[in-house]
Amino acid sequence: MDRHIQEAGRAALAADSDALAARLRDSLGTDVVLTGPETARYCSDWHGDVHSGAVAVLRPRDTAEVAACMRAAVALGLDVVPQGGNTGLVLGATPDAPAAQVVISLERMTRIRRIDADDFSAVVEAGAVLESFKDQVAQAGLFFPLALGAQGSCQIGGNVSTNAGGVNVLRYGMTRDLVLGLEVVLPDGTVFDGLSTLRKDNRGLDLKQLFIGAEGTLGIITAVSVKLLPRPEHVATALLALDSLPDAIELYRRARRQCCDLMSAFEFMPPLALTLAQEAIPDLQIPIQADHPAYVLMEISGSGLVDIDDLMARFLELAMEEGLVVDGVVAQSHAQAQNLWLIREGMNEGQAKRGKHLRTDVSVPLSKLADFVAEAEAAIAQDMPAAVCVSYGHVGDGNVHLNVLPDFAQGPDSLDAQILKSKKIVNAVLDRFQGSISAEHGIGRLKKPDFTARLPETRRRLLLAIKAAIDPEGVMNPGCQIDRT
Amino acid sequence: MDRHIQEAGRAALAADSDALAARLRDSLGTDVVLTGPETARYCSDWHGDVHSGAVAVLRPRDTAEVAACMRAAVALGLDVVPQGGNTGLVLGATPDAPAAQVVISLERMTRIRRIDADDFSAVVEAGAVLESFKDQVAQAGLFFPLALGAQGSCQIGGNVSTNAGGVNVLRYGMTRDLVLGLEVVLPDGTVFDGLSTLRKDNRGLDLKQLFIGAEGTLGIITAVSVKLLPRPEHVATALLALDSLPDAIELYRRARRQCCDLMSAFEFMPPLALTLAQEAIPDLQIPIQADHPAYVLMEISGSGLVDIDDLMARFLELAMEEGLVVDGVVAQSHAQAQNLWLIREGMNEGQAKRGKHLRTDVSVPLSKLADFVAEAEAAIAQDMPAAVCVSYGHVGDGNVHLNVLPDFAQGPDSLDAQILKSKKIVNAVLDRFQGSISAEHGIGRLKKPDFTARLPETRRRLLLAIKAAIDPEGVMNPGCQIDRT
């Protein structure tokens, strides 16, 4: 394109955007409408891979203001990208049409409307940061089990919109399983008031299910009612060394039976994880030899009368007697337990420090997990011998992050091609195992091509019918999850 | 209407029905199409309150035949009423337009397609009887936790369509929480193939959620994949006497904390329950004095290394020391435990034996349950002093069956009016507590008027939009849940 025409186009676009932002300010108030350089962080993704823009970032303070923002944007012909803590990994909250979209950030709606200890429930606004919410719930002697790496920044509305997973899913389920009710601003600006805390309510279709995992494509979640549980007063954490991934899976099966539903985490890691963790956190103490083929970070927890430490000790004694666990360390204090979890977190940072790489988030049936990892790693080894696989994850859910570190010696220019190649190799194996390309991260914009390429026609038709039924004008987060044509 | 015209109309209708049934036989085969007296049991409800009819009852043997039945019915302008074990309590599977509807019964689709012990999952066809399925799962050393009175007759497809509850919900959730995937024949005869067993799969909207609890208004569920659990080898069952319902709720809260998520049932009963049980089962042993104000049937269960009996003993010791439990008996054998559960089941039969009465299935937040029951019972006592309330239920879920036995002395002709009056009284109190008129039974045809009278406009609009999106011709179970206009 001719450079002068391009610049004229940009100027016109900017002028249009300025005029639109001015009209948004008129109807919503200057305090709600953010423009200019301050919007940059809302228009970039968590990894910093994508930098986009928007006509404005709207920051409503309550549900009525969210509805007003929705109506104002639609009245101006603008589309809406809802955003929580912006910690998503698939560009679900990153605008992709700067001149045609506004971001609606929920970050000001942080109020906990109610914690009802006698009802084991809470009602919380969408913008509350997960960790703050969990802390306040803990002060009431209760427990909200959702636990993930981003919990210091992610917001509960985003967790629900993406049906977030995390390390406690095997016991407490995905976010979907923790939600009792939702308040949602619909594309036409009306409010769906479904903030019940009823445990059982079979009055027709369960409409809230539609918005959980929709990644903001059907409406904006403004508040959530959730289940709470008794706070686990006793937690036993162990780092175990094993001979193989199949042994880890066998250990998981035994733990389910012998630990009686009290297991709250069971994370698999390869030996390289310990190295990567130490690369990220040089003074990290790793209280186990790093030369075993497989590691498991396991947690049992509970409140009340069950002796959790004794349960862990007896479980491990049996497993070691049978040779299933070859070495292990049980945390003797909360600090030691936190240190073990630091290995799990440091491993992720360590991968990032090595450089750009393939991150996956796949799932297969638990009975096929070991075969899938073996075949995918073998396929990578064959076609990309200098690449390094880092396969770790939530074994109990059949969810593995089978990451591939490319051959960095080939230079930075080769990385994108290597990553694409490794993704194709992994996905080809995954397809044979009928696995999911997104176990917990969602589809967003990043995984849309891989998602739609695998979308059966009946499913596609249903998805489009639902989208058209709830958002007939297509104003909600266009570009995310599925294209309307 | 003139009697002759009426009879002529009936004859024409019958002739039409015969012709339509003949055409169904032509396209589906005689073996699939049932007409005449044999159809009566499919066209009456469980309680025997309603006797209706249908052009035919179709009994397909596999998914392809279900699809063929659907297409054949729609091609003839007939609507479709899907039916499982026909044990529902709200007329969700009972046809209401004999000349315009066919029943599609899933009863021949009983196959268990797969039990995968290593994956803790199974795939089962919709017509499998719940109890048979549970038995086969148990033979594989595993456990499917759905447990309800009708389990000897109800079918798994119906359980999913109605999102059945039951006595184990407090630990394992509703049927929705046990479903991993669905296969559904859609109104246009295409098949939604969603029979995955993946634990975590965040690929866009979770379409299966739409069909769970839809009571057959969006499609016909033909197969289900479900979660399985380790079989609880140890079960401790206790019948406890308490001073009040508030004490029972306090005991539940403590049990959640002290028994560490291992409680699998907590059923509340009034003293009258013991009398009613003995009226139904005269030789029933009741190993506790029947003169306490409140009773709880409680179960703790688990597999593996936790000593369940010891846990129950220590929990009860504490509760009795503090005076929360005033008397109690712990089953010393499986037979004794079954006997305790017989009281719970006999209580229901005993109510039926007394005569026609109001059955409710309501829920309120747990923190309001005691107040709700007290106020509703007081309101009945004031306006219907000779009526008798029987309030029992799943305390842990906030779900109470607040039944009202009318004053039978007023004679059989007064019963319907008394029942209607008592329902209005209970519902008026329920509305003040923002409770649900259907905690677990669904809406069907029976509760549709009470449901629609309380349906907020935004919710109604969403329900109709979904219905129009999935079933644009309105052929699926018309008359059930919601009217399209």
Side-chain angles (χ1 to χ4, degrees), chain B residues 418-438:
Chain B
Q418 285 193 66
I419 289 170
L420 186 62
K421 184 176 176 185
S422 61
K423 186 179 81 169
K424 283 185 177 165
I425 295 169
V426 172
N427 282 351
V429 179
L430 184 69
D431 289 343
R432 280 197 285 112
F433 281 81
Q434 296 181 293
S436 167
I437 58 159
S438 184

Side-chain angles (χ1 to χ4, degrees), chain A residues 36-48:
Chain A
E38 284 180 287
T39 63
R41 72 179 178 91
Y42 303 87
C43 300
S44 306
D45 75 311
W46 177 252
H47 285 119

Side-chain angles (χ1 to χ4, degrees), chain B residues 143-157:
Chain B
F143 176 58
F144 183 62
L146 186 63
L148 55 160
Q151 65 187 23
S153 319
C154 67
Q155 295 169 11
I156 189 81

Side-chain angles (χ1 to χ4, degrees), chain A residues 141-143 171-172 229-235 301-304, chain B residues 257:
Chain A
L142 291 163
F143 176 59
R171 176 152 170 195
Y172 302 105
L229 291 99
R231 195 166 57 82
E233 298 143 9
H234 316 296
V235 180
S301 59
S303 59
Chain B
R257 194 170 293 277

Side-chain angles (χ1 to χ4, degrees), chain A residues 116 119 162-163 171 190 200-202 257-258 261 303 305 314 363 366-367 399 436 438 440 461, chain B residues 116 119 162-163 171 190 200-202 257-258 261 303 305 314 363 366-367 394 399 436 438 440 461:
Chain A
D116 183 345
D119 189 41
T162 58
N163 187 28
R171 176 152 170 195
T190 57
K200 288 168 98 171
D201 186 6
N202 263 347
R257 193 171 292 278
Q258 294 179 355
D261 291 356
S303 59
L305 299 170
R314 285 190 295 145
S363 64
L366 183 58
S367 50
N399 176 195
S436 167
S438 184
E440 51 180 16
R461 217 158 31 81
Chain B
D116 183 345
D119 189 41
T162 58
N163 187 28
R171 177 154 171 192
T190 57
K200 289 169 97 172
D201 186 6
N202 263 347
R257 194 170 293 277
Q258 295 180 354
D261 292 355
S303 59
L305 299 170
R314 285 189 296 144
S363 63
L366 182 57
S367 50
H394 321 297
N399 176 194
S436 167
S438 184
E440 52 180 15
R461 217 158 31 81

Side-chain angles (χ1 to χ4, degrees), chain A residues 194-313:
Chain A
L195 276 183
S196 151
T197 64
L198 298 177
R199 267 5 190 226
K200 288 168 98 171
D201 186 6
N202 263 347
R203 283 178 292 178
L205 299 190
D206 189 3
L207 288 170
K208 69 173 177 287
Q209 303 294 346
L210 275 174
F211 302 97
I212 301 173
E215 299 181 82
T217 59
L218 298 179
I220 304 181
I221 294 171
T222 49
V224 185
S225 52
V226 295
K227 293 178 195 169
L228 301 178
L229 291 99
R231 195 166 57 82
E233 298 143 9
H234 316 296
V235 180
T237 312
L239 179 63
L240 310 173
L242 295 90
D243 280 336
S244 67
L245 173 56
D247 274 6
I249 293 173
E250 176 58 25
L251 186 70
Y252 166 77
R253 286 191 196 116
R254 291 185 186 209
R256 280 203 69 175
R257 193 171 292 278
Q258 294 179 355
C259 299
C260 206
D261 291 356
L262 299 178
M263 179 166 50
S264 42
F266 193 96
E267 297 288 304
F268 174 78
M269 297 181 287
L272 183 58
L274 310 190
T275 311
L276 288 163
Q278 247 159 352
E279 288 174 15
I281 312 170
D283 59 349
L284 182 66
Q285 298 294 316
I286 297 189
I288 199 166
Q289 290 284 97
D291 55 0
H292 295 284
Y295 292 86
V296 163
L297 183 56
M298 176 177 170
E299 190 186 88
I300 305 176
S301 59
S303 59
L305 299 170
V306 177
D307 188 337
I308 296 292
D309 292 329
D310 177 64
L311 179 60
M312 178 67 98

Side-chain angles (χ1 to χ4, degrees), chain B residues 255-285:
Chain B
R256 281 203 69 175
R257 194 170 293 277
Q258 295 180 354
C259 299
C260 209
D261 292 355
L262 299 178
M263 178 167 51
S264 43
F266 193 96
E267 296 289 303
F268 173 78
M269 295 181 289
L272 183 59
L274 310 191
T275 311
L276 288 163
Q278 246 158 353
E279 287 174 16
I281 313 170
D283 59 348
L284 182 66
Q285 297 295 315

